[in-house]
Amino acid sequence: MSNGIKILFGAVLGVLYAACGLLQVVQAIFGTMESLEALFIPGNIFSGSVLLVIGTVFLTGVRKLSIGTEEGMPFIYVGILFSVGIGLVELLALCALGADAYLVGEWADWSAADAVNPLLYLAVIGVLGLLAWGKEFFRGARAA
Amino acid sequence: MTREIRIALTGNPNVGKTTLFNALTGSRQHVGNWPGVTVEKKTGKVSRNGCEFEVVDLPGTYSLTAYSADEVIARDFILDEKPDVVVQVVDATNLERNLYLTTQLAELRTPLVIALNMADMAEAQGNPIDYRKLSGFLEIPIVRTVGTRGEGLQDLLDAAVKEAKTSPHHEHTIGYGNEAEEMIAKLTDPLSADRTLSGKYPLRWLAVKLLEGDENVLAKVRGGAASARVQSILSSINSDEYEATMADKRYEAIAAILPQVHRTNTRGTTFSDMVDRVVTNRYLGIPIFLALMWGAFELTFTVATPFMTVIDTLTVWLAEFAVASIEPAWLGSLIGDGIISGVGAVLIFLPNILILFLILALLEDSGYLARAAFIMDRPLYALGLPGKAFIPMLIGFGCNVPAIMATRSIESEKDRLISILVNPFMSCSARLPVYVLFAGAFFGAHAGGVMFFLYVLGIAVAIASAKLFRSTILPGEVSPFVMEMPPYRLPTAMTSLMHMWSRGSMYLRKAGTIILLGAMLVWALASFPYGVEYGSAESFAGMLGHLVEPLVAPLGFDWKVAVALIFGFLAKEVVVGSLGVLYGAGEESLTDALFADPSLSAATALALMVFVLLYMPCVAALGVIKKETGSWKWTGFAVAYGIVVAWVLAFVVGHLAPFFIGGA
Ligand SMILES: Nc1nc2c(ncn2[C@@H]2O[C@H](COP(=O)(O)OP(=O)(O)OP(=O)(O)O)[C@@H](O)[C@H]2O)c(=O)[nH]1
Ligand SMILES: [Mg+2]
């Protein structure tokens, strides 16, 4: 019964990830669109592809759930894990870049905005999902 | 009065033998959550309550009929070395499969004790084993253990002592049905005539193995007193059929016991099942794997930067200080230009290496490694490699030496040879400094992407080579994928950090030995003959470099790079160390010095990275290739093939790159 919420959650996050991923890849290939940079969507084929993969995981889950198979649930869960995990990686990277700028004395020129990207801020939504459903996902581990 | 008792730990793969071994002996042998971690026997000692024990950890094996190189080691030890007690480590969550081996061990009549390991998991799954009852059925002492927490160790040793002192050991037989029993009786008769054999092994066991068509046992019989009669009996039967019926009988016997000692398996969907449904998905499996790999390299490259900056600053400062203040000047130069610049150039990458090893440890301990092999089975199979071969490939990201050893668990000789030959293309951690240095100097923000490209290129070349070998020099069928998927486990920080450190410290040791040596050698070559300008074209290094330069000039490399590549044969980090020495200690770091060198461009840097990735296995890797293939021919082939492939690809990349990176 809470499936409705999960479908909605997966759909929204999936579409966001996939769209940002697509934009990043397009941006990387066809050059800069100023408006995208303002939205913190830099051109990058690699992270763009990662976004696409995460988006696809969510959307696969949504598709399966909406035709009524419980099979879709793991995709939403794993998508959330994936989103949070990669987000954590990006957060660490951001901190590292900041620390490095400070160490080499370019702190004044450095702005976190340069390093922010969808993998980082979309993960915030992922964290919400983890808080909401993390328990029931991991519980599977014990109650075998 | 205290005789030493020798205990062999055996059991199926991934049941926790090494974990128990470490707990018993205080060793730190490699443990991982995938089948096939241990491929060599390892020995350790303990003394408890005035008793001395020698404990031997063996590779995992599913039966006493060995197929792969690591299984052979396990089987031979138990058969031929005759340990005082065999301890079979059993995974309590997977009794049926594990007890199959028990039925075979019991036939051997060696003193046997079962360590019912992973008891914690079985209990947590709501499926505890009534091990006293099980022990009664099997007539084998059983001790409950939890290897990871060191539970049950004392009981295990006590049981082993008791079992070693009990004799004789009665055989626990499984009836194989009339037809088979008749054949067994027929075979035991001539076998008893062979005194050497019958003195060493139980007759019934020999007969059973012969009936199953066990090559190894047949070889033992051949040439002996029983040879002719046994062979004539065997020639009239179909051993595959007997093997199948006897396996059925064993499973029947197990099936009769199981329901009485634990609840029947009512497993729901576990966490592992759920994750697997996604990560082994037909279409998403590989993209997910690649995305995870991207995350891993993002961590390796970016997160390490501040630490690298610190080490870099320190080395540059130290080198300058040494050159300026140590008298006489040549000593200052040796220490500053040679040792500190050379070793420092390599030490900078310690943060990257540690992070990489941490990631590999997480990969191994979580259980994802076996999944990666599974999802790659489909594409690899089509290209002529079994999916299992992907595991050594991934381990190769750390170091090719253990990776090549890990191929021992591949059953088919040809599959294994191909896996060994292509493994050096997997980009080991020693190559990482080269990438970080050059990608950082020439590709700035895209350094991560460039590194990723190199790793993927390594995999692609490995796979393409496998395909090539399969369709030319090593034709044959690929063996099908058989591998158990271990449950996912949350790696503990402690074990993963320990893994990271045990391997990371090897890098440090290398920096202190072979890399130091290489740096000093290059420094000497760059400083002499006496009186030449340091690192100039007139020095020995210059001469050597100019000698080889024509070979690498088409790739855009100058003599300094040529020298570095030559010494990179010792260990690939030496490439960076040598460049550190040749570019000497200035106010600037090596990165800046390289960037400022007009003979290097982004395209040549890329070509160089490709070349270093592929050009040849380092000395240590060549050593294991020789050891594992037992052939100088294949070892030489690995070198020659690598150099050719590296040259061609570096040439192509160097000439194509300008079109992609804007003619840099
Ligand atoms: N929960 C639990 N995990 C265990 C226990 N013993 C071992 N493990 C885990 O099981 C995995 C396999 O352990 P190993 O000791 O490498 O197994 P092995 O039998 O030596 O494996 P191979 O060398 O591949 O044959 C590791 O992830 C261990 O941490 C146990 O008693 N309980
Ligand atoms: Mg082991």
Side-chain angles (χ1 to χ4, degrees):
Chain A
M1 41 141 219
S2 76
N3 272 8
I5 298 177
K6 281 179 197 156
I7 295 181
L8 186 69
F9 180 86
V12 170
L13 210 50
V15 169
L16 280 174
Y17 266 101
C20 289
L22 218 57
L23 288 172
Q24 282 210 334
V25 173
V26 170
Q27 168 102 325
I29 297 172
F30 299 107
T32 27
M33 286 175 259
E34 296 280 322
S35 49
L36 282 185
E37 307 232 310
L39 284 173
F40 301 118
I41 302 182
N44 185 328
I45 295 193
F46 294 107
S47 52
S49 312
V50 174
L51 284 164
L52 276 174
V53 174
I54 301 179
T56 317
V57 171
F58 277 120
L59 294 178
T60 310
V62 170
R63 206 198 63 222
K64 289 189 187 231
L65 281 176
S66 60
I67 56 172
T69 49
E70 282 292 310
E71 293 266 293
M73 215 48 98
F75 286 81
I76 306 284
Y77 291 140
V78 172
I80 291 173
L81 265 193
F82 210 173
S83 149
V84 174
I86 296 275
L88 214 62
V89 170
E90 287 299 304
L91 184 66
L92 282 173
L94 181 81
C95 296
L97 288 176
D100 192 54
Y102 180 78
L103 285 171
V104 297
E106 288 168 8
W107 180 243
D109 303 329
W110 191 76
S111 140
D114 299 339
V116 169
N117 68 66
L119 283 174
L120 189 64
Y121 55 78
L122 289 182
V124 176
I125 312 181
V127 171
L128 294 181
L130 193 65
L131 290 178
W133 302 303
K135 252 199 192 134
E136 63 179 58
F137 178 34
F138 288 114
R139 202 178 42 214
R142 261 168 287 123
Chain B
M1 103 277 130
T2 52
R3 186 174 63 101
E4 193 177 75
I5 295 180
R6 188 143 69 142
I7 300 179
L9 292 174
T10 187
N12 289 19
N14 207 41
V15 294
K17 297 177 295 298
T18 307
T19 309
L20 274 178
F21 174 81
N22 286 346
L24 279 168
T25 64
S27 322
R28 286 199 184 172
Q29 292 301 332
H30 196 70
V31 166
N33 187 18
W34 51 282
V37 181
T38 310
V39 292
E40 276 187 309
K41 77 169 210 242
K42 298 276 169 163
T43 315
K45 290 200 188 278
V46 228
S47 60
R48 286 268 173 115
N49 305 344
C51 238
E52 296 286 327
F53 298 90
E54 185 185 70
V55 187
V56 182
D57 181 28
L58 295 169
T61 177
Y62 288 104
S63 73
L64 286 179
T65 308
Y67 297 102
S68 55
D70 56 342
E71 284 187 314
V72 171
I73 293 173
R75 199 258 323 260
D76 285 355
F77 186 84
I78 293 173
L79 287 189
D80 300 331
E81 311 255 327
K82 302 249 177 241
D84 299 310
V85 187
V86 172
V87 170
Q88 189 200 350
V89 184
V90 163
D91 175 355
T93 64
N94 196 357
L95 267 189
E96 189 176 5
R97 179 95 43 91
N98 281 252
L99 290 180
Y100 186 78
L101 179 63
T102 314
T103 60
Q104 301 206 345
L105 287 168
E107 275 174 345
L108 259 183
R109 292 175 113 170
T110 56
L112 183 63
V113 173
I114 288 179
L116 193 68
N117 199 37
M118 309 232 183
D120 58 330
M121 293 258 290
E123 285 151 23
Q125 287 177 3
N127 212 354
I129 312 286
D130 185 342
Y131 61 93
R132 290 190 186 84
K133 212 163 162 191
L134 181 62
S135 171
F137 284 128
L138 296 172
E139 298 174 78
I140 297 168
I142 298 183
V143 179
R144 175 193 179 278
T145 61
V146 180
T148 37
R149 296 202 295 254
E151 288 176 27
L153 299 183
Q154 187 60 50
D155 293 347
L156 186 61
L157 291 178
D158 290 345
V161 173
K162 202 166 149 222
E163 195 62 15
K165 287 179 181 155
T166 332
S167 62
H169 288 276
H170 90 116
E171 186 174 5
H172 184 80
T173 44
I174 287 180
Y176 292 115
N178 287 343
E179 205 186 329
E181 289 296 338
E182 219 168 85
M183 292 306 296
I184 291 171
K186 245 191 199 169
L187 282 165
T188 28
D189 190 34
L191 282 171
S192 57
D194 188 332
R195 290 275 159 239
T196 35
L197 267 188
S198 58
K200 239 175 136 181
Y201 310 105
L203 288 179
R204 184 181 166 84
W205 180 79
L206 284 171
V208 166
K209 284 289 142 187
L210 286 171
L211 212 49
E212 284 179 335
D214 187 309
E215 287 298 330
N216 185 283
V217 173
L218 198 60
K220 287 190 205 303
V221 173
R222 237 175 245 138
S227 184
R229 283 177 63 199
V230 165
Q231 301 223 20
S232 86
I233 298 175
L234 288 181
S235 62
S236 66
I237 62 158
N238 178 355
S239 57
D240 284 349
E241 247 166 55
Y242 281 103
E243 193 181 0
T245 36
M246 291 196 293
D248 283 346
K249 289 287 177 197
R250 290 193 187 116
Y251 277 120
E252 263 172 40
I254 295 167
I257 298 173
L258 280 188
Q260 307 186 53
V261 297
H262 74 160
R263 273 191 243 152
T264 31
N265 256 347
T266 47
R267 290 176 60 216
T269 322
T270 62
F271 173 79
S272 286
D273 295 336
M274 285 204 270
V275 174
D276 275 346
R277 209 161 285 164
V278 183
V279 302
T280 62
N281 179 280
R282 216 175 147 157
Y283 306 104
L284 285 169
I286 292 176
I288 289 176
F289 172 73
L290 290 175
L292 288 176
M293 221 169 109
W294 175 87
F297 294 119
E298 179 83 347
L299 278 179
T300 310
F301 186 74
T302 317
V303 175
T305 31
F307 302 100
M308 295 170 69
T309 304
V310 172
I311 301 180
D312 194 19
T313 318
L314 252 138
T315 351
V316 171
W317 179 82
L318 263 178
E320 263 184 82
F321 179 77
V323 173
S325 57
I326 294 179
E327 291 292 336
W330 69 266
L331 189 64
S333 171
L334 170 65
I335 294 175
D337 293 327
I339 296 175
I340 299 177
S341 301
V343 175
V346 173
L347 272 190
I348 292 176
F349 303 99
L350 186 65
N352 304 90
I353 304 267
L354 287 179
I355 294 176
L356 177 72
F357 280 135
L358 181 64
I359 292 167
L360 285 175
L362 293 178
L363 180 73
E364 281 194 46
D365 295 343
S366 64
Y368 184 71
L369 193 62
R371 274 74 183 185
F374 177 79
I375 52 180
M376 289 305 280
D377 184 56
R378 192 191 303 267
L380 282 182
Y381 188 87
L383 293 164
L385 269 184
K388 230 184 202 177
F390 198 56
I391 288 183
M393 289 170 80
L394 285 178
I395 294 176
F397 284 147
C399 174
N400 299 120
V401 173
I404 290 169
M405 306 261 296
T407 60
R408 285 188 184 178
S409 54
I410 297 173
E411 289 90 4
S412 141
E413 275 302 310
K414 267 186 193 165
D415 290 353
R416 177 156 182 239
L417 185 55
I418 293 179
S419 303
I420 292 175
L421 292 176
V422 303
N423 199 278
F425 295 128
M426 302 312 290
S427 186
C428 69
S429 61
R431 280 165 255 196
L432 186 139
V434 181
Y435 308 154
V436 180
L437 180 65
F438 282 91
F442 292 92
F443 293 91
H446 295 290
V450 169
M451 297 231 307
F452 190 68
F453 161 76
L454 286 161
Y455 278 93
V456 175
L457 180 72
I459 302 182
V461 171
I463 292 177
S465 303
K467 172 81 183 160
L468 182 71
F469 298 158
R470 183 61 89 187
S471 47
T472 53
I473 47 179
L474 292 164
E477 284 291 303
V478 185
S479 28
F481 189 86
V482 222
M483 188 168 192
E484 270 183 285
M485 291 293 129
Y488 287 102
R489 294 207 176 89
L490 194 65
T492 61
M494 199 44 212
T495 52
S496 294
L497 287 175
M498 236 173 67
H499 271 170
M500 173 187 93
W501 180 244
S502 73
R503 290 167 176 188
S505 60
M506 253 162 62
Y507 182 79
L508 278 181
R509 223 171 302 140
K510 228 162 127 191
T513 52
I514 198 159
I515 297 169
L516 177 68
L517 204 80
M520 285 167 67
L521 204 69
V522 175
W523 173 84
L525 288 174
S527 311
F528 296 104
Y530 191 73
V532 296
E533 188 192 334
Y534 177 79
S536 67
E538 285 75 40
S539 65
F540 284 132
M543 292 185 225
L544 181 68
H546 282 291
L547 203 67
V548 237
E549 196 179 358
L551 291 177
V552 291
L555 307 177
F557 305 160
D558 69 351
W559 69 268
K560 284 183 183 168
V561 173
V563 172
L565 287 175
I566 294 173
F567 288 99
F569 167 63
L570 288 176
K572 299 229 170 166
E573 300 96 330
V574 177
V575 172
V576 167
S578 304
L579 289 172
V581 174
L582 290 175
Y583 280 89
E587 304 86 78
E588 46 182 17
S589 66
L590 183 54
T591 314
D592 300 330
L594 289 171
F595 189 67
D597 185 339
S599 69
L600 287 168
S601 66
T604 38
L606 194 61
L608 177 64
M609 287 187 271
V610 169
F611 195 80
V612 170
L613 165 66
L614 305 170
Y615 79 118
M616 76 161 94
C618 68
V619 195
L622 280 181
V624 262
I625 294 180
K626 167 67 184 58
K627 187 168 147 232
E628 298 297 309
T629 60
S631 138
W632 282 113
K633 195 187 87 189
W634 286 117
T635 314
F637 175 79
V639 175
Y641 180 77
I643 292 180
V644 172
V645 169
W647 202 95
V648 172
L649 281 179
F651 185 84
V652 172
V653 166
H655 285 78
L656 284 185
F659 297 108
F660 291 103
I661 47 187

